[in-house]
Amino acid sequence: MRYRSGFLENRRGQRLFFAEDVPERASREGPVWIVCSPVLEEKNVSQGAMVNAARALSASGARVIRIDYEGHGDSRGETVGLGLDAWIADIEDTATWARATSEGQLSLLGCRAGAILAARAAAAVKADRVIAWCPVLNGADYVQDLLRMNLTTQMAIHQRVVQNREAMVRVLQEGGTINVLGWNLGPALYQSLVAETFAQAVAPLTCEVDVLDLVRKKGAPPPPAVAALAAPPRVTVRAVTGIQFWIDGNFLDTQQTELIRATLEISARVSTP
Amino acid sequence: MTDEVFELVGPEGQTRRGILTLPDGGPPQAALLLLTAGVKYRTGPGQLYVALARRLAELGFATLRFDPLCVGESDGSLEAAPSHELWLSAERGRFVADAALAYEALERHLGGLTPVFLGGLCGGGLTAQMTAAALPQRPAGLISINIAARETPVPGRPVAVVASESRATLRSYPRKLVSAAAWKRVFTGTTSVRTLATTVAAILRLKHAPKLDESLNPRFVASLRRTRALQIPHLLIFSGTDSRWFHFNDLVLGPLFQGEMKGPAHEVRVVPDAEHHLFMPEWRDAAVAWIAEWMRRR
């Protein structure tokens, strides 16, 4: 397996960091995966798991490309003026870049909000399949999670809430910015998130979509809201055991053995039609 | 400025990777090697390292944001483990050998003429200090942000609270006295009487300990002593609301720095209202200004 990293330019002229793992005997016709990371701080926390997923897929014979969206990771730009559309475009630009040297089936692996981005980009990049890891189901709920993180930081600094949720939403609606764990968020991201759900993003797709969600207990079913996404044979839902790897918790597991094993099973179906 | 992928292969054949940010318009005045904060990869929490590197490049400095083995883009991967065990492994020197390799590689890459500083946030600052103490050559200096003087506590075990920390907590008490929710917590037994007692007891203690406290990480103390003996310049930046500042202020500043915020080889700066990760842009701006000014002087 060979590793290569560098920078490619997106349509807005910003340099995006990419890393790719390529099998030793890769051919132009071999399968290609683009890994679509979570966004904001979840991207940083989940980095190890996404790297391990890419390495495992590559070891099974695929060319695997990871990119940092504009304003994320080692890529240029700032998140403050950007919304989901910008990062969907980054995935499309990466696919165009990949297609210049690969003609094989292209699939997308998206994690958390990255699953929404992958689903939204899938049609434009003519993806053969989307695998969604623990997708963010509802953008509006996700915004509430982000606001709660801001509140937690306020409590740590001031030992009280200086700006409550309603005030923060007002700031965003009026074109201002708020800071969540070091990330400056603006109205474009707020507006695009509150209007988005994973189900809506998946609905128009004609390719197969596999949703993999984490549960604590072996054999436990996925939560009802996730199970409700199932629409076989196009959309399948499966739960595997594991610990959330995108939040700073008490236990860090970047290995995600079960999740990656399930992903490899799906990927084997893609590479051997 | 320019970002470059930086790679180095260790003696066992595995590759460590980082991003070197270089300023425009000629060679850098100096370079800063930023080391892993906890086990977070090279961007730092909330993109802190990216922000520092880019702002320092605008001021003429190079920065290498570096991943040791098992972290970020470098070879290997972290074992699944409780977070506190992973942080402890960093505080006990897990990344020192790789930091030394990166330091030597960066110095070579820049032609041996550019002064190279070591630094990082929290455990990254400690790795920098332990590395500086162990290097065969003397680095240009150390820049630590919220350096961890104590080891990460084991969950569930009581932690001794220091006076500064308790006084900071006390500031919220007048508000709590008129808070219905706070009184409800008292009457329902949710408020821990033990925590209250610990806070009051800590307030009564001296702010600056007269001698080194047993709760300090022995590796922190040993490497700090060594780098001071070697007169390696050290800029220590702290966030005013962070427990690392309270620990350093109460337990280290007195015994090892005679309570002096500035000396021939050290300088302590505090961002008053900031939290541990310097989330707000203005806090990051303050840190960058101090770092740039301090590196220039050296």
Side-chain angles (χ1 to χ4, degrees):
Chain A
M1 198 170 71
R2 286 175 285 125
Y3 172 95
R4 184 170 78 106
S5 63
F7 296 88
L8 58 94
E9 197 168 287
N10 71 6
R11 66 187 67 178
R12 295 177 300 280
Q14 294 284 10
R15 290 178 91 211
L16 304 184
F17 174 81
F18 76 86
E20 63 175 343
D21 294 292
V22 184
E24 285 297 340
R25 281 185 232 156
S27 69
R28 277 184 79 91
E29 293 75 32
V32 180
W33 284 83
I34 296 176
V35 175
C36 308
S37 298
V39 301
L40 309 176
E41 192 60 6
E42 287 188 0
K43 186 269 187 265
N44 285 345
V45 180
S46 65
Q47 176 73 6
M50 304 318 291
V51 168
N52 285 334
R55 287 174 182 166
L57 280 167
S58 180
S60 74
R63 175 188 180 194
V64 187
I65 302 164
R66 288 179 289 116
I67 52 146
D68 292 347
Y69 314 120
E70 185 173 334
H72 288 74
D74 297 316
S75 292
R76 286 297 177 90
E78 301 285 342
T79 49
V80 70
L82 304 175
L84 297 181
D85 285 352
W87 302 325
I88 294 164
D90 285 347
I91 297 168
E92 293 170 5
D93 291 347
T94 306
T96 305
W97 177 81
R99 291 277 194 213
T101 48
S102 286
E103 291 161 10
Q105 290 180 319
L106 190 142
S107 304
L108 302 175
L109 168 62
C111 179
R112 300 283 296 148
I116 291 178
L117 302 178
R120 285 294 183 197
V125 305
K126 298 184 175 61
D128 284 278
R129 179 178 295 272
V130 173
I131 297 182
W133 277 13
C134 315
V136 166
L137 298 181
N138 186 313
D141 292 344
Y142 188 64
V143 167
Q144 290 303 315
D145 291 344
L146 295 173
L147 298 181
R148 190 171 56 238
M149 289 173 207
N150 178 294
L151 293 174
T152 306
T153 307
Q154 289 186 46
M155 288 299 293
I157 299 166
H158 307 290
Q159 297 175 348
R160 69 194 167 96
V161 172
V162 179
Q163 188 181 36
N164 63 21
R165 282 172 198 259
E166 292 72 27
M168 283 190 276
V169 168
R170 252 194 326 274
V171 166
L172 290 167
Q173 286 171 335
E174 290 166 5
T177 63
I178 62 159
N179 186 287
V180 176
L181 306 181
W183 298 80
N184 288 322
L185 315 184
L189 183 57
Y190 170 75
Q191 300 292 355
S192 58
L193 274 172
V194 294
E196 186 62 285
T197 69
F198 181 70
Q200 285 167 11
V202 164
L205 294 182
T206 53
C207 70
E208 289 186 25
V209 178
D210 296 271
V211 178
L212 296 173
D213 205 40
L214 290 179
V215 289
R216 285 266 181 167
K217 202 172 158 192
K218 198 169 178 66
V226 180
L229 294 167
R234 195 177 56 86
V235 183
T236 66
V237 175
R238 185 172 155 191
V240 296
T241 49
I243 292 172
Q244 293 182 342
F245 53 86
W246 57 87
I247 50 171
D248 276 321
N250 295 329
F251 197 93
L252 183 65
D253 181 8
T254 64
Q255 305 288 331
Q256 291 300 321
T257 314
E258 294 295 318
L259 194 53
I260 290 176
R261 183 179 297 145
T263 304
L264 291 177
E265 285 169 15
I266 297 164
S267 119
R269 296 206 305 267
V270 175
S271 13
T272 51
Chain B
M1 79 191 78
T2 314
D3 290 323
E4 287 178 6
V5 171
F6 188 94
E7 294 193 346
L8 70 101
V9 180
E12 73 299 275
Q14 292 195 291
T15 305
R16 289 85 170 151
R17 301 182 176 92
I19 296 289
L20 177 61
T21 303
L22 292 162
D24 292 332
Q29 298 174 47
L32 172 61
L33 169 60
L34 281 175
L35 300 165
T36 311
V39 290
K40 280 264 165 72
Y41 93 117
R42 65 198 187 198
T43 57
Q47 300 289 95
L48 174 65
Y49 284 7
V50 177
L52 293 180
R54 291 184 182 161
R55 288 177 210 190
L56 284 169
E58 287 166 6
L59 300 170
F61 299 97
T63 303
L64 174 59
R65 299 182 282 108
F66 177 73
D67 285 334
L69 284 184
C70 301
V71 176
E73 295 294 322
S74 291
D75 286 356
S77 65
L78 283 175
E79 65 278 15
S83 301
H84 78 273
E85 284 181 14
L86 293 170
W87 296 331
L88 271 174
S89 71
E91 291 160 8
R92 292 173 181 174
R94 175 181 189 146
F95 300 131
V96 168
D98 276 3
L101 277 178
Y103 173 84
E104 285 156 6
L106 179 59
E107 207 174 39
R108 268 198 313 276
H109 185 82
L110 296 171
L113 297 172
T114 307
V116 177
F117 294 75
L118 294 153
L121 169 76
C122 193
L126 180 54
T127 299
Q129 185 176 281
M130 289 190 284
T131 307
L135 278 173
Q137 67 276 51
R138 188 172 172 274
L142 287 165
I143 297 163
S144 59
I145 303 171
N146 293 318
I147 192 168
R150 278 179 171 174
E151 284 194 342
T152 298
V154 176
R157 288 210 196 139
V159 181
V161 183
V162 299
S164 296
E165 205 167 9
S166 295
R167 288 188 182 115
T169 308
L170 193 68
R171 283 201 309 249
S172 68
Y173 278 39
R175 203 170 44 249
K176 286 180 179 168
L177 283 174
V178 292
S179 157
W183 282 108
K184 189 180 170 192
R185 284 197 296 274
V186 170
F187 288 118
T188 54
T190 318
T191 293
S192 163
V193 177
R194 187 174 166 184
T195 304
L196 279 173
T198 311
T199 303
V200 172
I203 288 165
L204 299 175
R205 263 182 240 132
L206 289 172
K207 192 171 177 186
H208 291 295
K211 60 184 176 63
L212 280 175
D213 194 273
E214 285 178 0
S215 69
L216 293 170
N217 178 355
R219 288 166 186 83
F220 166 81
V221 175
S223 57
L224 182 61
R225 283 200 160 122
R226 173 81 180 141
T227 52
R228 280 178 64 74
L230 293 170
Q231 294 192 307
I232 296 171
H234 194 163
L235 172 65
L236 300 114
I237 296 174
F238 288 98
S239 301
T241 67
D242 185 26
S243 61
R244 277 61 161 199
W245 163 237
F246 300 135
H247 297 158
F248 182 86
N249 185 40
D250 289 23
L251 306 176
V252 181
L253 198 58
L256 286 179
F257 295 89
Q258 292 74 49
E260 297 293 335
M261 297 282 277
K262 196 171 178 179
H266 85 279
E267 189 167 345
V268 182
R269 306 293 298 254
V270 182
V271 192
D273 297 321
E275 52 66 56
H276 183 63
H277 309 90
L278 299 178
F279 282 150
M280 300 302 290
E282 57 269 30
W283 301 336
R284 294 176 177 191
D285 287 343
V288 167
W290 292 337
I291 292 169
E293 189 262 338
W294 192 79
M295 284 202 289
R296 242 179 233 128
R297 268 197 278 139
R298 302 285 159 185

